[in-house]
Amino acid sequence: AVFFGNIFWIIEKSKKIIPKKKNNTAYEIKYTIISFFIFFAIVFWYFSAFEKWIINFSFDFNIWSLVLWIAFVILHDGYFYVAHRFLHTKFMMKYVHIVHHKSNPSNIWSSYSFHPIEAVFYAWVSSIIFVFDVNIYALLFATFYNDFFTILGHCWYELFGQKIKKSWFYKYCATTTYHDVHHSHNNGNIGLYFTYLDLIFKTKSKDSEAV
């Protein structure tokens, strides 16, 4: 529901016309469905563990919910950066990550178009919740934030105007253009939410500013 809600909001907001490209929609939807089954399997396991009292969910909404959400986002961004760099090694790129990169330019249906192995890599990031108390609201916020930025990063439409370039937000937040350079140039811009790891490890694409 979060996934499709974000899709329709972004389409409505941008009034986007998808650029001419090789029609990979059926291919992308097929791999998206496979990815979703893997994600659902992980979620099902979590709730099964909850029913058996292996893990405990907190249903209290308070300031701790927001603190946990921010912690999830920061840790997820770091996990994604490491996993994404590994997926760009020669072997993984050729046999696994290539499924995602066949969408060029990217589009909303390519957001979760992953090889099953890649989907497992990303699904297990949710195990971060075991580092903290498992707050259901923090998980919901994190899920929404992840889906929104994942879809926004692949929608091939920059929602942020030119003025944003002069702000700290543009320098440290991975916008749609930032991630599209990764797809179209296959050159750097590894981060998911933020750019600071690309800046630290010098993986920011030199094409980003020009694009």
Side-chain angles (χ1 to χ4, degrees):
V2 173
F3 173 77
F4 287 106
N6 274 305
I7 281 181
F8 294 128
W9 183 88
I10 289 172
I11 290 175
E12 178 63 25
K13 183 72 174 177
S14 65
K15 300 295 184 184
K16 169 178 154 315
I17 299 175
I18 296 176
K20 290 182 179 179
K21 70 181 188 73
K22 182 180 179 181
N23 190 349
N24 286 335
T25 303
Y27 172 92
E28 291 159 352
I29 291 177
K30 178 186 76 172
Y31 277 101
T32 296
I33 291 172
I34 293 172
S35 296
F36 275 18
F37 270 109
I38 292 172
F39 297 160
F40 290 155
I42 300 296
V43 171
F44 178 78
W45 183 85
Y46 285 147
F47 278 95
S48 296
F50 170 68
E51 289 181 344
K52 296 175 182 177
W53 296 90
I54 297 174
I55 60 175
N56 184 41
F57 284 106
S58 168
F59 293 88
D60 296 326
F61 180 76
N62 48 44
I63 190 65
W64 186 238
S65 305
L66 299 178
V67 172
L68 284 176
W69 167 57
I70 293 171
F72 290 164
V73 169
I74 293 173
L75 288 172
H76 183 196
D77 190 65
Y79 175 92
F80 179 88
Y81 182 87
V82 173
H84 198 186
R85 285 201 71 169
F86 176 67
L87 288 166
H88 273 269
T89 57
K90 188 174 181 180
F91 177 85
M92 296 299 288
M93 184 67 193
K94 183 176 180 180
Y95 295 105
V96 177
H97 197 44
I98 188 63
V99 169
H100 186 63
H101 271 271
K102 282 187 176 180
S103 299
N104 183 23
S106 58
N107 66 91
I108 52 178
W109 299 112
S110 67
S111 302
Y112 289 99
S113 176
F114 301 137
H115 186 284
I117 293 177
E118 182 170 357
V120 170
F121 266 45
Y122 294 149
W124 277 112
V125 70
S126 54
S127 61
I128 288 172
I129 65 175
F130 294 111
V131 178
F132 310 97
D133 293 330
V134 186
N135 185 282
I136 196 68
Y137 295 103
L139 288 176
L140 289 173
F141 294 157
T143 299
F144 175 82
Y145 193 86
N146 172 249
D147 274 351
F148 179 79
F149 264 86
T150 300
I151 298 167
L152 189 69
H154 293 86
C155 75
W156 214 81
Y157 187 95
E158 184 59 79
L159 294 179
F160 301 106
Q162 292 292 323
K163 290 182 180 179
I164 204 75
K165 285 186 176 183
K166 298 178 181 179
S167 72
W168 64 269
F169 178 88
Y170 183 81
K171 184 176 181 180
Y172 295 108
C173 184
T175 64
T176 304
T177 305
Y178 191 85
H179 190 69
D180 187 66
V181 168
H182 173 76
H183 269 265
S184 58
H185 294 64
N186 196 20
N187 179 17
N189 294 6
I190 305 296
L192 175 61
Y193 303 133
F194 312 113
T195 66
Y196 70 94
L197 290 174
D198 282 313
L199 293 170
I200 291 172
F201 294 106
K202 302 186 186 302
T203 52
K204 181 179 179 180
S205 172
K206 295 179 181 179
D207 302 310
S208 292
E209 299 302 326
V211 174

